[in-house]
Amino acid sequence: YQRLLDKVIVPRLGKYQLNKITRADIAQFHAELASVPGRANFVLSVLSKLFSWAQDTGVDDREVNPCLRVSKYRLSKRERYLTRQEYARIAATVTALEGEGKITTSSAFAIRLLMLTGARLNEILTLQWSFVRADMKSLFLSDSKTGEKIIRLSDEANAVLKMVPKVEGNPYVITGHIHGAHLTNLHKAWYLVCETAKLDGVRIHDLRHSFASMAADAGASLPMIGGLLGHADPQTTARYVHLVDKRLHELNGTVGASINAAMNGEPQGRRQRRAKSA
């Protein structure tokens, strides 16, 4: 939010008095960002929240939020899931770039943790050592996007955490350039990784989607995927229903073949051999 304010909103609207900004001003600003519709909609949401706060606190004495009835751009849903080969390319590229000093060790550890946990970017960047319970294979977050949250750690994620060096006087796992602070921007390192690995159109958040995809491939149900990702609302997990459906179709095929073999009087051992060959 701060980056959006500093880079986009304030340069465009900062010179205006808050209660003088009209719906026409907002609509024009939104239209100027038409080439990046996702960002345009994000700007509109942030401005709407700011004006609501200003009116609630009396900073803006108007009763109508100037962002109301400014229509957001319709966005096509974008789903991107990494293949196993792409996971391997990312991992190898991160190691290589870290070894060459082109990305920092903190950035490398952050990307590895994002791949292995399915956590949101900010949850990893602001992760503190006091949140880590290696004995319980969990991270206990007191203030994530959805409130209190537990992120479960695999043995592989735990192993990565054990390799992260602790910096004296810094409570954060992923440390930044400023003493006592966490890393604030992973995008530059991520873009370099994707460019070097020749991966087009892969966002950092796609690591979270890919984690869900891997969980579905392992046989996880929607509630289980929601639990792994820390979704408070089941509707949020519903976007992954097609992944679970694919797994169910595969399972249904296996069950059908097994029952058909039994109906034809085939012995159990033969059914197992047929399943393995399939």
Side-chain angles (χ1 to χ4, degrees):
Y1 298 129
Q2 190 63 54
R3 187 163 58 247
L4 189 74
L5 285 164
D6 293 342
K7 301 291 186 180
V8 183
I9 295 176
V10 172
R12 176 62 175 78
L13 298 177
K15 63 182 179 181
Y16 294 99
Q17 189 172 335
L18 184 71
N19 60 4
K20 301 298 183 182
I21 298 175
T22 66
R23 182 181 297 130
D25 295 326
I26 299 297
Q28 182 179 344
F29 183 22
H30 190 245
E32 291 170 1
L33 297 170
S35 61
V36 280
R39 174 176 289 189
N41 290 346
F42 191 17
V43 165
L44 187 61
S45 296
V46 172
L47 283 172
S48 179
K49 201 72 175 179
L50 287 174
F51 279 109
S52 293
W53 173 86
Q55 290 167 352
D56 289 343
T57 56
V59 174
D60 187 347
D61 58 3
R62 295 176 295 181
E63 295 183 0
V64 179
N65 189 318
C67 295
L68 291 178
R69 293 195 295 279
V70 177
S71 299
K72 290 184 177 181
Y73 293 111
R74 181 175 295 180
L75 303 176
S76 57
K77 286 192 174 181
R78 182 181 177 280
E79 302 291 348
R80 177 69 161 88
Y81 303 103
L82 295 173
T83 65
R84 291 180 178 274
Q85 293 76 17
E86 288 173 332
Y87 267 115
R89 282 159 59 188
I90 291 174
T93 302
V94 167
T95 299
L97 292 177
E98 180 188 12
E100 296 167 6
K102 294 181 178 179
I103 64 172
T104 65
T105 298
S106 288
S107 296
F109 278 126
I111 292 172
R112 293 181 185 117
L113 287 173
L114 286 168
M115 287 196 289
L116 288 168
T117 63
R120 296 182 178 91
L121 173 60
N122 199 53
E123 292 169 346
I124 293 300
L125 294 187
T126 62
L127 179 65
Q128 298 186 33
W129 287 110
S130 60
F131 302 163
V132 179
R133 290 292 303 273
D135 57 327
M136 299 178 67
K137 294 185 176 181
S138 298
L139 305 177
F140 289 85
L141 309 183
S142 59
D143 187 24
S144 73
K145 181 179 178 181
T146 54
E148 292 185 358
K149 175 180 176 180
I150 298 175
I151 295 177
R152 291 152 184 85
L153 299 173
S154 62
D155 291 339
E156 292 74 15
N158 249 333
V160 170
L161 275 171
K162 289 179 180 178
M163 291 189 292
V164 179
K166 294 184 178 180
V167 178
E168 186 176 354
N170 195 325
Y172 295 102
V173 176
I174 306 300
T175 55
H177 302 293
I178 300 175
H179 179 70
H182 62 80
L183 185 68
T184 58
N185 190 349
L186 189 62
H187 289 88
K188 184 177 180 180
W190 177 251
Y191 292 146
L192 181 58
V193 168
C194 290
E195 181 182 16
T196 306
K198 293 181 169 50
L199 292 174
D200 294 327
V202 181
R203 305 167 302 172
I204 293 178
H205 198 69
D206 290 329
L207 297 177
R208 183 169 167 84
H209 295 325
S210 299
F211 186 90
S213 178
M214 285 291 190
D217 284 345
S221 64
L222 279 179
M224 292 172 69
I225 292 173
L228 288 173
L229 296 180
H231 289 161
D233 185 354
Q235 288 301 315
T236 307
T237 316
R239 68 182 303 172
Y240 301 114
V241 66
H242 64 286
L243 299 176
V244 177
D245 281 346
K246 177 184 176 183
R247 183 67 178 176
L248 287 175
H249 280 300
E250 294 172 354
L251 179 60
N252 186 54
T254 301
V255 173
S258 181
I259 292 174
N260 183 67
M263 292 169 62
N264 291 326
E266 297 178 8
Q268 185 173 0
R270 184 177 175 184
R271 292 202 306 273
Q272 290 176 341
R273 287 194 296 272
R274 287 181 58 185
K276 288 180 180 179
S277 64

